[in-house]
Amino acid sequence: MAEFFQTEPLQHSPYQDTDLLFFYLKQRLPQAYFDWVHRELVHLSDRAVGEMAALALEAERDVPRHIPFDPWGRRVDEIRVSPAWNRLGAIAAEEGVVAEAYERRFGEWSRLVQMAKLLIYHPYSAIFSCPLAMTDGAARLIEVHGDDTLRERVFPHLVTRHADQFWTSGQWMTERIGGSDVGQSETRAVWDGSTWRLYGTKWFSSATTSEIAFTLARPEGAAEGSKGLSLFFVQLRNGEGQLDGIEVLRLKDKLGTRALPTAELKLNGVPAKLVGGEGKGVARIATLFNITRIYNAICAVGYMREALAVSQAYSRVRFAFGKPISEHPLHQRTLVNMEAATTLCFFLSMELAIWQGREACGLASESQQKLLRVLTPVAKLFTAKQCVQVVSEGLECLGGTGYIEDSGLPRLLRNAQVLPIWEGTTNILSLDMVRALIKDQAWPDLREFLSDPALKTRYPYGERLLDQMESWVNQVGQQPELEAEARHFALLLGQWAGTMLMEQFVAEGGVVPNLDLIRDQLSRWPWRYSD
Ligand code: MFK
């Protein structure tokens, strides 16, 4: 009898004409744009599963190294990264993963097209998507708050498609004392008579190989707390390519995202440029982190799609108890649950990308701007939590093989675990949502947006949920102890908003694969707001 070897699952493509991304873009984009975009995405998708997958594997194996001194004892602080890592950055430039949003070839749809590219690029990028997120946020920050020098000398490098001219940007907010509470930041900005110089320690500086960074610092004499912080621009290296007034203390030894060089930095008087005048630093850098939070959400969806596709493919080739596991009802239910979560996260993130695109073109209504403000933290936290769950389920779907390093899935899980942590943890983002509901008065617009009478029959608990939410919103401003409910509220809001957006898409004639199964599965999810 022949020895048994398990058949490998068929390799899938991250973009094909049977999947949700295809149907979504076909419905949303004007026809002439769709044909053009479709060709580019097919090309990127081929590149992702071929060239990029091999590079990502290599970049994760050949991890960054910190070389503090040269052979003669001079401090050099070189960060040596894999050539494969640099190549992944070059591919991002060539494919316009950042540029697409700023060239505006597709007008208000450009941001959506760009995020579709990111969705395909990210799972095969060894998290080069992180420096891209910060670069994109930096480009938007310059568009909104930058002066002519930043616009003319820096912006073009962030949005170019020429790999040899492409720069990435860091975003240095986190400090040992600061963490989520950025207002405690200790970095000082000192005016030396001709330029600002920064002194302090930045605790989590991803992409230390970037050419530039945006950061927060407190000018001498400025107030304590976040009100006293200002936004600064830093060019990391001088004309000779050496770090200028910056010492790399060490690289972080992280659970995942291992190809990404994340460092602790000491700022020893690095020259910096004040951006947008003194004060308002946190509010200004929010322009940047509201973009990276949308990236976080899209990247979460990218990983969920990957875990789902591998699990589905495996279920068709794995035979157990007399038939393929895809035919066992319990396994079917598990796969549909993963698909339901992925689909809701997809709608939540992609619709935000559309509103973001409209806002960038000055076309977003006041109401859409409020929805964007409140749903950005919600999408970030909801998709990140769902992603860890779905990817973990993906490992289980492959049994012991899913736990083995060279199946690729452990790497996916390690990398997924960063998504609920960086760019604001789940609790911090839940409080950001509360800030948007109360301070920016987003609830009335949100309530109107979430109430669709046509859905009463299908989701009978929807209206009741909204009534309960409204009563909580009305009280939380006066009763801070009710903040304890904020995470629960935010997760339910993500669930309901994703469901609504999916249903609106279907009502407009859009195709959602496995819709009936997904709806049935959603009806089994918990929809309770409070015990
Ligand atoms: C693959 C995906 C790639 C992702 C890239 C990963 C890169 C990784 C690098 C990092 O992880 S960087 C570190 C991430 N850290 C954070 O995200 C910080 C988390 N903490 C928060 O978000 C806090 O909510 C915050 C620091 C913003 C609280 O600040 P404050 O100053 O204590 O609160 P306050 O006083 O409410 O806000 C100050 C101002 O900012 C206010 O404006 P005004 O001064 O005009 O009144 C707020 O309205 C404004 N603001 C705060 N959050 C905002 C915002 N404006 C717009 N959008 C927001 N989300």
Side-chain angles (χ1 to χ4, degrees), residues 122 127 129-130 133-134 171 173-174 179-182 206 226-227 280 282-283 286 289-290 292-293 295-296 299 373 419 422-424 428 432 435 439:
H122 159 74
I127 300 247
S129 42
C130 168
M134 298 186 288
Q171 164 204 3
M173 289 207 325
T174 310
S180 302
D181 184 4
V182 172
S206 279
S226 75
K227 293 270 171 286
K280 289 263 169 213
V282 175
F289 67 58
N290 282 331
T292 54
R293 286 173 182 175
Y295 264 71
N296 210 96
C299 292
R373 170 70 186 90
L419 297 171
W422 68 16
E423 291 306 306
I428 291 294
D432 189 44
R435 189 192 279 118
K439 187 178 158 214

Side-chain angles (χ1 to χ4, degrees), residues 314-454:
Y314 184 72
S315 75
R316 290 189 278 270
V317 295
R318 174 69 185 162
F319 279 69
F321 305 106
K323 52 187 176 183
I325 57 173
S326 60
E327 291 176 18
H328 288 280
L330 181 54
H331 196 66
Q332 284 170 350
R333 178 71 66 79
T334 302
L335 291 174
V336 170
N337 199 44
M338 291 167 74
E339 188 167 11
T342 307
T343 302
L344 296 197
C345 289
F346 176 96
F347 277 101
L348 194 50
S349 313
M350 296 301 265
E351 294 285 311
L352 277 189
I354 294 181
W355 298 339
Q356 224 291 321
R358 289 183 61 78
E359 188 187 50
C361 293
L363 297 171
S365 64
E366 204 180 313
S367 174
Q368 275 171 335
Q369 289 178 48
K370 283 191 181 176
L371 293 176
L372 186 61
R373 170 70 186 90
V374 68
L375 287 178
T376 297
V378 171
K380 193 279 187 188
L381 72 89
F382 180 71
T383 55
K385 280 295 197 205
Q386 293 289 340
C387 178
V388 175
Q389 231 169 305
V390 166
V391 171
S392 168
E393 198 72 79
L395 266 74
E396 203 174 325
C397 284
L398 266 72
T401 305
Y403 197 66
I404 298 300
E405 203 53 53
D406 60 7
S407 73
L409 287 167
R411 185 157 47 102
L412 206 61
L413 184 60
R414 282 199 299 271
N415 288 350
Q417 183 59 65
V418 81
L419 297 171
I421 296 174
W422 68 16
E423 291 306 306
T425 60
T426 308
N427 284 358
I428 291 294
L429 289 166
S430 302
L431 295 176
D432 189 44
M433 172 203 69
V434 174
R435 189 192 279 118
L437 288 172
I438 307 293
K439 187 178 158 214
D440 301 322
Q441 299 175 349
W443 176 255
D445 296 82
L446 190 59
R447 165 114 210 196
E448 196 186 331
F449 167 72
L450 294 173
S451 316
D452 187 338

Side-chain angles (χ1 to χ4, degrees), residues 30 56 70 91 114 133 193 218 233 252 259 268 312 323 379 399 405 472 476 482 502 517:
D70 77 1
I91 292 173
Q114 180 250 333
R218 194 179 312 280
F233 165 82
K252 297 285 196 189
N268 292 327
Q312 287 170 331
K323 52 187 176 183
E405 203 53 53
W472 181 80
V476 70
L482 290 181
M502 177 186 80
L517 290 172

Side-chain angles (χ1 to χ4, degrees), residues 64-80 242-243 246-251 264:
R65 279 188 300 141
H66 174 210
I67 316 286
F69 300 101
D70 77 1
W72 319 110
R74 277 185 213 95
R75 181 113 209 166
V76 287
D77 279 330
E78 184 194 344
I79 306 288
R80 205 166 283 168
Q242 319 259 262
L243 285 175
I246 300 173
E247 208 173 293
V248 178
L249 298 179
R250 59 175 165 168
L251 286 180
E264 291 165 27

